[in-house]
């Protein structure tokens, strides 16, 4: 077994590259790779990627991975211990067992997954905002929601490591060493799981489960080869789960020389940057979104109050709304309209009630029966329907979008906030001079600002 710690060699005596070693390992574990594809660093959008060597038809299997090759808490060498002590490994993330498995396997020269994990020698290719300085996040991503999400992540990671992981490692010094398995490495592995892991969908046909009992999501797992594929929203391949294996299947024709893309789901650019460390060009990401915090809608309503009685009514309306939604909630807008339409509809209805309507609402403990169905609400709050809303509703949406847009700058007028990034997007020379982080942050900011600006155009009086 000691020979595994050394780099394998090819016939001419030269050492295999990490990618060659990985492909050799894939052969050894029974991973079947179609002759029509290859893994490469050349001609792909990121570090590694998969290219078509020949034309590929819809439905063709690109590769098949046996479940025994997957890396998770049930396949790691320390799986028995993790299973035995699972009650001590509970956390809000649910990732601790996988992360402990990765801590062990990543630092073990005898790991079954050594060739796979050696593709990431130091995780320097991971560029999640959690690895940016706080100042860089604050200046480049102000207003996007990403800095706040990262601050929550880092606090949770430190708490999880200190309260759960460290005590567990201390109890098992023969397998883990806090001097090697540090908080820094743990944080890097969290980002690795965020960017490269997969979660198997719940089995919807499982009739043994109580219908009223909420199913917990399946824990994440590492899927060698599948994680080599890059993401675009308009993808051409999809991972399918079967009892014995996982298969990457072509979902639309791929021409020779084109890259094979998986999808990580319908992800806005801020989510892609936060979870995976990259973005799509905002113009081509049809899943991009912008949030309007519910507090901004309340602020818009309060600014519209003309008298003390009006202000008192807004406070009452806000009190009712807070019983129906969380103060930290946000309304999500996509490129075609509001995606949280039912929640926004409720907020607009409550914040635009007369005193008499609010009193009746309280007496009845809500609406007796709403005559608006979900389809009508969705249409009313789509781009096509927004301009036809009641004037009072449009004013609230307009002002809330206006206030949210201003939060991206330092108190400047929303047009100035918009113009700065618009000018940058239209200046090819300036774009070419941006660092990678500056470019990614620009795609997030400008994508969100464009949605908010478009919303203001649709609701202006």
């Amino acid at each position: 077994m000691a020979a595994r710690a050394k780099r394998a060699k090819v016939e001419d005596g030269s050492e295999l590259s990490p990618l060659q070693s990985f492909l050799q390992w894939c052969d050894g574990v029974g991973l079947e790779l179609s002759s029509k594809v290859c893994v490469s660093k050349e001609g792909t959008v990121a570090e590694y990627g998969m290219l078509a060597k020949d034309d590929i038809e819809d439905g063709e299997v690109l590769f098949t991975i046996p479940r025994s090759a997957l890396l998770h808490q049930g396949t790691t060498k320390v799986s028995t211990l993790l299973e035995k002590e699972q009650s001590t490994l509970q956390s809000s993330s649910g990732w601790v067992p996988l992360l402990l498995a990765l801590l062990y396997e990543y630092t073990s020269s005898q790991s079954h997954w050594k060739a796979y994990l050696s593709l990431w020698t130091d995780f320097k290719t991971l560029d999640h905002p959690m690895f940016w300085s706080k100042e860089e996040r604050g200046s480049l991503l102000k207003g996007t929601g990403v800095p706040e999400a990262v601050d929550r992540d880092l606090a949770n990671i430190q708490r999880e490591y200190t309260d759960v992981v460290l005590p567990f490692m201390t109890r098992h010094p023969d397998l883990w060493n806090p001097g090697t398995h540090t908080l820094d490495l743990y944080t890097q592995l969290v980002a690795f799981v965020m960017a490269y892991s997969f979660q198997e969908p719940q089995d919807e046909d499982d009739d043994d489960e109580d219908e009223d009992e909420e199913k917990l999501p399946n824990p994440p797992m590492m899927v060698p080869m599948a994680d080599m594929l890059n993401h675009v929203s308009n993808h051409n391949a999809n991972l399918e789960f079967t009892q014995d294996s996982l298969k990457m299947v072509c979902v639309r024709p791929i021409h020779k020389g084109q890259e094979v893309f998986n999808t990580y789901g319908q992800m806005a650019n801020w989510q892609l940057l936060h979870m995976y460390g990259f973005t799509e060009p905002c113009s081509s990401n049809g899943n991009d979104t912008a949030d309007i915090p519910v507090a901004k809608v309340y602020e818009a309503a309060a600014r519209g109050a003309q008298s003390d009685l009006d202000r008192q009514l807004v406070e009452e309306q806000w009190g009712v709304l807070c019983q129906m939604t969380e103060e930290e909630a946000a309304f999500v807008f996509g490129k075609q309209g509001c995606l949280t339409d039912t929640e926004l509809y409720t907020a607009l209805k409550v914040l635009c009630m007369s005193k008499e309507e609010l009193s009746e609402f309280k007496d009845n403990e809500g609406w007796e029966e709403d005559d608006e169905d979900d389809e009508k609400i969705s249409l009313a709050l789509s781009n096509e329907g927004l301009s036809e809303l009641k004037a009072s509703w449009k004013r609230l949406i307009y002002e809330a979008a206006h206030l949210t847009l201003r939060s991206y700058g330092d108190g400047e007028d929303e047009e100035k906030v918009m113009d700065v990034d618009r000018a940058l997007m239209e200046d090819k020379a300036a774009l070419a001079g941006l660092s990678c982080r500056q470019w990614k942050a620009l795609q997030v900011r400008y994508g969100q600002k464009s949605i908010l600006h478009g919303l203001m155009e649709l609701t202006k009086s």
Side-chain angles (χ1 to χ4, degrees):
M1 290 295 290
R4 280 185 56 83
K6 297 179 181 179
R7 182 77 63 83
K9 295 187 177 182
V10 291
E11 291 181 2
D12 64 3
S14 60
E15 290 186 342
L16 290 174
S17 70
L19 181 55
Q20 289 172 322
S21 294
F22 169 66
L23 293 173
Q24 191 176 79
W25 176 84
C26 288
D27 286 339
V29 298
L31 190 154
E32 298 173 7
L33 185 66
S34 166
S35 60
K36 290 188 176 183
V37 296
C38 65
V39 180
S40 176
K41 279 190 170 186
E42 304 296 326
T44 60
V45 298
E47 181 74 2
Y48 290 107
M50 181 169 285
L51 296 174
K53 294 163 61 178
D54 203 345
D55 289 346
I56 302 170
E57 296 300 319
D58 184 0
E60 288 193 54
V61 176
L62 307 178
F63 54 85
T64 302
I65 312 154
R67 284 190 177 266
S68 57
L70 308 180
L71 173 51
H72 55 76
Q73 63 211 55
T75 57
T76 174
K77 188 176 180 181
V78 291
S79 62
T80 303
L81 177 60
L82 295 177
E83 175 68 23
K84 179 182 176 183
E85 297 209 21
Q86 62 177 328
S87 62
T88 68
L89 303 178
Q90 302 300 312
S91 69
S92 58
S93 75
W95 292 7
V96 169
L98 174 60
L99 288 163
L100 281 166
L102 286 171
L103 284 172
Y104 175 82
E105 299 289 352
Y106 186 72
T107 54
S108 170
S109 63
Q110 304 300 313
S111 173
H112 175 61
W113 290 272
K114 177 178 170 55
Y116 163 61
L117 294 171
S118 292
L119 293 170
W120 293 274
T121 52
D122 54 12
F123 298 110
K124 293 297 186 192
T125 56
L126 297 176
D127 195 34
H128 297 60
M130 68 167 64
F131 301 122
W132 305 7
S133 70
K134 192 175 181 69
E135 293 71 28
E136 196 170 16
R137 289 196 300 269
S139 62
L140 292 178
L141 294 166
K142 182 178 181 181
T144 64
V146 175
E148 294 80 4
V150 170
D151 287 344
R152 289 191 296 271
D153 286 346
L154 292 174
N156 289 336
I157 290 167
Q158 180 157 13
R159 188 182 311 113
E160 187 173 87
Y161 181 83
T162 303
D163 296 348
V164 182
V165 175
L166 205 51
F168 178 83
M169 291 195 299
T170 304
R171 294 196 302 273
H172 302 285
D174 54 324
L175 297 171
W176 289 276
N177 175 6
T180 301
H181 303 115
T182 61
L183 175 60
D184 281 347
L185 179 57
Y186 189 78
T187 303
Q188 290 173 331
L189 287 170
V190 168
F192 180 56
V193 171
M194 288 170 74
Y196 290 103
S197 69
F198 291 79
Q199 279 184 289
E200 187 163 2
Q202 289 284 2
D203 185 359
E204 296 178 359
D205 298 327
D206 190 353
D207 296 326
D208 297 332
E209 293 284 346
D210 187 338
E211 289 185 8
D212 296 327
E213 185 179 331
E214 186 178 353
K215 293 182 182 179
L216 294 173
N218 286 315
M221 57 186 176
M222 310 313 297
V223 184
M225 189 61 77
D227 53 18
M228 300 291 243
L229 272 65
N230 294 306
H231 159 97
V232 291
S233 52
N234 188 25
H235 61 290
N236 51 26
N238 194 51
L239 188 64
E240 296 183 0
F241 296 78
T242 68
Q243 186 173 351
D244 301 319
S245 63
L246 279 63
K247 301 174 187 290
M248 189 65 71
V249 180
C250 176
V251 295
R252 58 186 178 85
I254 307 171
H255 297 300
K256 180 180 179 179
Q258 288 185 331
E259 184 166 359
V260 180
F261 288 103
N262 188 18
T263 176
Y264 304 158
Q266 295 182 331
M267 309 285 281
N269 266 341
W270 80 265
Q271 293 170 310
L272 289 173
L273 183 59
H274 172 221
M275 293 288 292
Y276 301 95
F278 74 92
T279 64
E280 293 188 61
C282 60
S283 59
S284 62
N285 186 353
N287 298 313
D288 217 359
T289 62
D291 289 2
I292 294 183
V294 65
K296 294 294 184 187
V297 181
Y298 159 68
E299 187 179 344
R303 286 184 172 218
Q306 302 295 315
S307 65
D308 288 343
L309 284 176
D310 288 344
R311 282 184 279 276
Q312 183 180 342
L313 177 59
V314 169
E315 292 304 316
E316 287 184 48
Q317 292 165 337
W318 177 240
V320 169
L321 188 58
C322 285
Q323 294 174 14
M324 305 168 70
T325 186
E326 297 179 13
E327 286 189 51
E328 299 301 316
F331 305 114
V332 183
F333 286 84
K335 291 187 173 182
Q336 304 304 318
C338 185
L339 302 178
T340 50
D341 42 44
T342 304
E343 293 82 356
L344 178 59
Y345 180 85
T346 297
L348 293 170
K349 197 165 184 178
V350 170
L351 291 171
C352 290
M353 280 180 173
S354 66
K355 188 169 182 63
E356 293 72 27
E357 288 170 332
L358 185 64
S359 179
E360 183 180 349
F361 178 85
K362 287 180 174 180
D363 291 342
N364 293 333
E365 297 182 348
W367 291 290
E368 291 184 5
E369 180 144 354
D370 204 329
D371 58 358
E372 298 286 354
D373 60 34
D374 290 345
E375 191 173 335
K376 285 184 179 178
I377 292 172
S378 181
L379 181 60
L381 296 175
S382 68
N383 286 356
E384 290 75 21
L386 283 167
S387 60
E388 303 302 319
L389 291 175
K390 299 174 186 176
S392 57
W393 289 29
K394 286 200 294 183
R395 184 190 67 79
L396 272 187
I397 295 173
Y398 178 92
E399 288 297 333
H402 164 245
L403 291 168
T404 304
L405 197 49
R406 291 192 67 177
S407 68
Y408 289 81
D410 296 309
E412 302 103 324
D413 178 82
E414 72 279 356
E415 283 298 332
K416 186 175 180 182
V417 170
M418 188 72 192
D419 287 345
V420 171
D421 283 343
R422 182 190 288 124
L424 194 51
M425 289 290 289
E426 294 173 354
D427 187 336
K428 290 184 178 180
L431 274 177
L434 296 179
S435 69
C436 184
R437 290 179 178 180
Q438 288 171 331
W439 187 88
K440 290 185 288 192
L442 175 62
Q443 302 309 310
V444 175
R445 286 195 317 266
Y446 189 67
Q448 292 184 353
K449 290 178 182 181
S450 297
I451 290 172
L452 292 169
H453 187 265
L455 188 56
M456 290 176 65
E457 289 295 307
L458 290 168
T459 54
K460 67 183 179 182
S461 54

